Amino acid sequence: MKKFDQLIYGARAVIETIQSGKHLEKLFIQKNNTSDLVKQLLTLTSEHVIPVSWVPGEKLNRLTKGNHQGVVAFVSPVQYHNLHHVVTNVFEEGKTPLFLALDGVTDIRNFGAIARTAECMGVDALIIPVKSNAQINADAVKTSAGALNYIPVCRDLKLLEALKYLKDSGIQVVACSEHGTISPAEVDFSVPTVIVMGSEEEGITREILKISDAISSIPMKGEISSLNVGSAAAMILYEATRQRI
């Protein structure tokens, strides 16, 4: 963590921070901490979709020299949005939704670059899972050239469930994967769409591929068999925007 990422500690302080409307990026609780305040805090983490890590006290001592009482948190530099509200608002504005979901993109520089491209291409929101995703901190905001201050970010406990909700809302799921059999140009992006990008190591999870309406791969002619996820996202988002323009 950089010194300019806001750290708070103490169960009461963290509870009050959440209740004030601020969003937490990460919450660390000391193992075996079962105090009444921690129980209250855990109730709030479920309501506000906050990732919790149970850690040894030594880790908390390294994070702060203050009297942390077994609880340390980092405040997110962005405000997370409720996916249901975002979908409703986009449709009510008369727009054709274009969302981008990231399945396991953990590199902060890739994440920031993708957010920057998504904002430039008019994406209505980024959708990320609570776990197995790059942490949105000051470095991520800087790498995005400030785009994360403008594009809504929705954080969900399970990305698969979020995508199923979008399908039920009439939004097609397009997975960008090397296993795809059609090029982005063959996909109809003029309809409500969520594009899914996977991690460089594992790609898109099998469960998400199964529910996808289309699986697209970017045609390549070089010797290298795969693209950086940031580059691939830029290409498929360009095609989606080109079709809509």
Side-chain angles (χ1 to χ4, degrees):
M1 277 290 173
K2 305 293 185 181
K3 63 181 179 181
F4 39 77
D5 288 310
Q6 186 179 352
L7 178 149
I8 52 175
Y9 55 85
R12 174 61 66 187
V14 173
I15 288 171
E16 291 177 352
T17 298
I18 297 172
Q19 291 176 336
S20 73
K22 292 183 178 180
H23 293 189
L24 300 186
E25 185 61 30
K26 191 73 175 178
L27 173 62
F28 297 98
I29 300 178
Q30 186 171 338
K31 291 179 178 178
N32 302 318
N33 190 334
T34 58
S35 69
D36 290 339
L37 280 177
V38 165
K39 292 177 181 177
Q40 182 181 345
L41 178 57
L42 290 174
T43 299
L44 287 174
T45 62
S46 298
E47 294 173 358
H48 294 269
V49 195
I50 299 169
V52 178
S53 295
W54 295 87
V55 299
E58 293 78 10
K59 179 175 178 64
L60 301 183
N61 294 336
R62 290 196 298 270
L63 290 172
T64 178
K65 300 300 182 183
N67 181 19
H68 53 70
Q69 301 171 317
V71 178
V72 174
F74 290 94
V75 178
S76 174
V78 302
Q79 290 290 97
Y80 289 105
H81 294 253
N82 180 284
L83 179 59
H84 296 241
H85 295 167
V86 169
V87 171
T88 299
N89 291 340
V90 172
F91 276 121
E92 287 181 349
E93 290 172 5
K95 300 172 65 177
T96 301
L98 178 61
F99 300 124
L100 180 63
L102 304 181
D103 183 17
V105 177
T106 57
D107 184 274
I108 287 177
R109 290 172 296 179
N110 278 337
F111 181 83
I114 292 170
R116 182 177 184 176
T117 300
E119 201 283 327
C120 290
M121 294 292 104
V123 170
D124 294 298
L126 288 176
I127 304 166
I128 61 174
V130 167
K131 296 182 179 180
S132 301
N133 195 79
Q135 192 167 340
I136 300 183
N137 53 26
D139 284 340
V141 175
K142 181 179 179 181
T143 305
S144 77
L148 285 167
N149 292 317
Y150 297 100
I151 186 170
V153 180
C154 303
R155 185 168 64 178
D156 209 288
L157 281 173
K158 294 183 179 180
L159 185 60
L160 179 63
E161 297 305 314
L163 293 173
K164 287 180 178 179
Y165 163 72
L166 292 177
K167 281 177 67 78
D168 291 341
S169 301
I171 299 171
Q172 71 169 345
V173 178
V174 177
C176 184
S177 167
E178 61 183 7
H179 302 297
T181 56
I182 59 175
S183 72
E186 297 175 272
V187 179
D188 181 7
F189 287 109
S190 66
V191 300
T193 302
V194 54
I195 297 170
V196 185
M197 306 299 302
S199 70
E200 289 184 316
E201 292 77 17
E202 304 295 334
I204 298 172
T205 56
R206 184 178 304 174
E207 292 79 11
I208 290 177
L209 289 175
K210 283 183 178 179
I211 69 162
S212 297
D213 298 293
I215 303 175
S216 178
S217 62
I218 296 170
M220 291 180 289
K221 299 179 69 174
E223 297 298 324
I224 299 176
S225 61
S226 64
L227 287 166
N228 171 280
V229 65
S231 300
M235 290 183 178
I236 197 166
L237 285 175
Y238 170 76
E239 175 58 28
T241 304
R242 185 195 67 78
Q243 289 187 22
R244 291 176 175 225
I245 291 176

PDB file of all heavy atoms in Angstrom, residues 96-108:
ATOM      1  N   THR A  96     -28.579   2.148 -25.157  1.00  0.00           N
ATOM      2  CA  THR A  96     -28.353   0.720 -25.368  1.00  0.00           C
ATOM      3  C   THR A  96     -27.154   0.327 -24.519  1.00  0.00           C
ATOM      4  O   THR A  96     -26.029   0.733 -24.815  1.00  0.00           O
ATOM      5  CB  THR A  96     -28.067   0.414 -26.843  1.00  0.00           C
ATOM      6  OG1 THR A  96     -29.171   0.850 -27.632  1.00  0.00           O
ATOM      7  CG2 THR A  96     -27.857  -1.080 -27.050  1.00  0.00           C
ATOM      8  N   PRO A  97     -27.357  -0.435 -23.455  1.00  0.00           N
ATOM      9  CA  PRO A  97     -26.272  -0.700 -22.501  1.00  0.00           C
ATOM     10  C   PRO A  97     -25.052  -1.368 -23.135  1.00  0.00           C
ATOM     11  O   PRO A  97     -25.186  -2.249 -23.985  1.00  0.00           O
ATOM     12  CB  PRO A  97     -26.921  -1.631 -21.476  1.00  0.00           C
ATOM     13  CG  PRO A  97     -28.388  -1.400 -21.619  1.00  0.00           C
ATOM     14  CD  PRO A  97     -28.617  -1.078 -23.060  1.00  0.00           C
ATOM     15  N   LEU A  98     -23.897  -0.915 -22.709  1.00  0.00           N
ATOM     16  CA  LEU A  98     -22.629  -1.581 -23.034  1.00  0.00           C
ATOM     17  C   LEU A  98     -21.827  -1.647 -21.748  1.00  0.00           C
ATOM     18  O   LEU A  98     -21.369  -0.623 -21.234  1.00  0.00           O
ATOM     19  CB  LEU A  98     -21.852  -0.821 -24.110  1.00  0.00           C
ATOM     20  CG  LEU A  98     -20.480  -1.425 -24.475  1.00  0.00           C
ATOM     21  CD1 LEU A  98     -20.640  -2.839 -25.017  1.00  0.00           C
ATOM     22  CD2 LEU A  98     -19.742  -0.547 -25.479  1.00  0.00           C
ATOM     23  N   PHE A  99     -21.677  -2.852 -21.216  1.00  0.00           N
ATOM     24  CA  PHE A  99     -20.939  -3.062 -19.982  1.00  0.00           C
ATOM     25  C   PHE A  99     -19.681  -3.886 -20.264  1.00  0.00           C
ATOM     26  O   PHE A  99     -19.601  -4.592 -21.266  1.00  0.00           O
ATOM     27  CB  PHE A  99     -21.798  -3.790 -18.940  1.00  0.00           C
ATOM     28  CG  PHE A  99     -23.056  -3.052 -18.554  1.00  0.00           C
ATOM     29  CD1 PHE A  99     -24.294  -3.653 -18.682  1.00  0.00           C
ATOM     30  CD2 PHE A  99     -22.991  -1.761 -18.066  1.00  0.00           C
ATOM     31  CE1 PHE A  99     -25.451  -2.985 -18.330  1.00  0.00           C
ATOM     32  CE2 PHE A  99     -24.143  -1.081 -17.709  1.00  0.00           C
ATOM     33  CZ  PHE A  99     -25.381  -1.698 -17.845  1.00  0.00           C
ATOM     34  N   LEU A 100     -18.729  -3.784 -19.355  1.00  0.00           N
ATOM     35  CA  LEU A 100     -17.499  -4.568 -19.453  1.00  0.00           C
ATOM     36  C   LEU A 100     -17.261  -5.265 -18.122  1.00  0.00           C
ATOM     37  O   LEU A 100     -17.152  -4.609 -17.078  1.00  0.00           O
ATOM     38  CB  LEU A 100     -16.303  -3.671 -19.795  1.00  0.00           C
ATOM     39  CG  LEU A 100     -14.949  -4.380 -19.929  1.00  0.00           C
ATOM     40  CD1 LEU A 100     -14.962  -5.370 -21.075  1.00  0.00           C
ATOM     41  CD2 LEU A 100     -13.825  -3.364 -20.124  1.00  0.00           C
ATOM     42  N   ALA A 101     -17.212  -6.607 -18.156  1.00  0.00           N
ATOM     43  CA  ALA A 101     -16.973  -7.398 -16.947  1.00  0.00           C
ATOM     44  C   ALA A 101     -15.573  -7.992 -16.994  1.00  0.00           C
ATOM     45  O   ALA A 101     -15.137  -8.489 -18.039  1.00  0.00           O
ATOM     46  CB  ALA A 101     -18.009  -8.513 -16.830  1.00  0.00           C
ATOM     47  N   LEU A 102     -14.874  -7.939 -15.872  1.00  0.00           N
ATOM     48  CA  LEU A 102     -13.505  -8.439 -15.792  1.00  0.00           C
ATOM     49  C   LEU A 102     -13.462  -9.649 -14.864  1.00  0.00           C
ATOM     50  O   LEU A 102     -13.766  -9.543 -13.677  1.00  0.00           O
ATOM     51  CB  LEU A 102     -12.566  -7.343 -15.292  1.00  0.00           C
ATOM     52  CG  LEU A 102     -12.562  -6.048 -16.114  1.00  0.00           C
ATOM     53  CD1 LEU A 102     -11.574  -5.054 -15.535  1.00  0.00           C
ATOM     54  CD2 LEU A 102     -12.243  -6.330 -17.579  1.00  0.00           C
ATOM     55  N   ASP A 103     -13.086 -10.786 -15.437  1.00  0.00           N
ATOM     56  CA  ASP A 103     -13.065 -12.043 -14.699  1.00  0.00           C
ATOM     57  C   ASP A 103     -11.634 -12.400 -14.312  1.00  0.00           C
ATOM     58  O   ASP A 103     -10.943 -13.140 -15.013  1.00  0.00           O
ATOM     59  CB  ASP A 103     -13.683 -13.145 -15.570  1.00  0.00           C
ATOM     60  CG  ASP A 103     -13.764 -14.486 -14.859  1.00  0.00           C
ATOM     61  OD1 ASP A 103     -13.655 -14.518 -13.620  1.00  0.00           O
ATOM     62  OD2 ASP A 103     -13.943 -15.511 -15.554  1.00  0.00           O
ATOM     63  N   GLY A 104     -11.169 -11.840 -13.205  1.00  0.00           N
ATOM     64  CA  GLY A 104      -9.849 -12.210 -12.697  1.00  0.00           C
ATOM     65  C   GLY A 104      -8.693 -11.403 -13.240  1.00  0.00           C
ATOM     66  O   GLY A 104      -7.571 -11.915 -13.325  1.00  0.00           O
ATOM     67  N   VAL A 105      -8.919 -10.154 -13.624  1.00  0.00           N
ATOM     68  CA  VAL A 105      -7.822  -9.274 -14.050  1.00  0.00           C
ATOM     69  C   VAL A 105      -7.191  -8.685 -12.795  1.00  0.00           C
ATOM     70  O   VAL A 105      -7.752  -7.797 -12.160  1.00  0.00           O
ATOM     71  CB  VAL A 105      -8.327  -8.158 -14.986  1.00  0.00           C
ATOM     72  CG1 VAL A 105      -7.193  -7.208 -15.349  1.00  0.00           C
ATOM     73  CG2 VAL A 105      -8.935  -8.765 -16.246  1.00  0.00           C
ATOM     74  N   THR A 106      -6.023  -9.184 -12.425  1.00  0.00           N
ATOM     75  CA  THR A 106      -5.422  -8.828 -11.143  1.00  0.00           C
ATOM     76  C   THR A 106      -4.297  -7.801 -11.232  1.00  0.00           C
ATOM     77  O   THR A 106      -3.900  -7.247 -10.220  1.00  0.00           O
ATOM     78  CB  THR A 106      -4.876 -10.091 -10.442  1.00  0.00           C
ATOM     79  OG1 THR A 106      -3.939 -10.734 -11.307  1.00  0.00           O
ATOM     80  CG2 THR A 106      -6.005 -11.067 -10.123  1.00  0.00           C
ATOM     81  N   ASP A 107      -3.769  -7.570 -12.427  1.00  0.00           N
ATOM     82  CA  ASP A 107      -2.678  -6.613 -12.580  1.00  0.00           C
ATOM     83  C   ASP A 107      -3.232  -5.183 -12.578  1.00  0.00           C
ATOM     84  O   ASP A 107      -4.105  -4.847 -13.389  1.00  0.00           O
ATOM     85  CB  ASP A 107      -1.926  -6.879 -13.880  1.00  0.00           C
ATOM     86  CG  ASP A 107      -0.716  -5.973 -14.039  1.00  0.00           C
ATOM     87  OD1 ASP A 107      -0.873  -4.852 -14.548  1.00  0.00           O
ATOM     88  OD2 ASP A 107       0.384  -6.388 -13.630  1.00  0.00           O
ATOM     89  N   ILE A 108      -2.730  -4.358 -11.678  1.00  0.00           N
ATOM     90  CA  ILE A 108      -3.260  -2.999 -11.528  1.00  0.00           C
ATOM     91  C   ILE A 108      -3.079  -2.186 -12.798  1.00  0.00           C
ATOM     92  O   ILE A 108      -3.970  -1.421 -13.204  1.00  0.00           O
ATOM     93  CB  ILE A 108      -2.582  -2.297 -10.333  1.00  0.00           C
ATOM     94  CG1 ILE A 108      -3.100  -2.892  -9.017  1.00  0.00           C
ATOM     95  CG2 ILE A 108      -2.852  -0.789 -10.361  1.00  0.00           C
ATOM     96  CD1 ILE A 108      -2.450  -2.319  -7.788  1.00  0.00           C
TER      97      ILE A 108
END
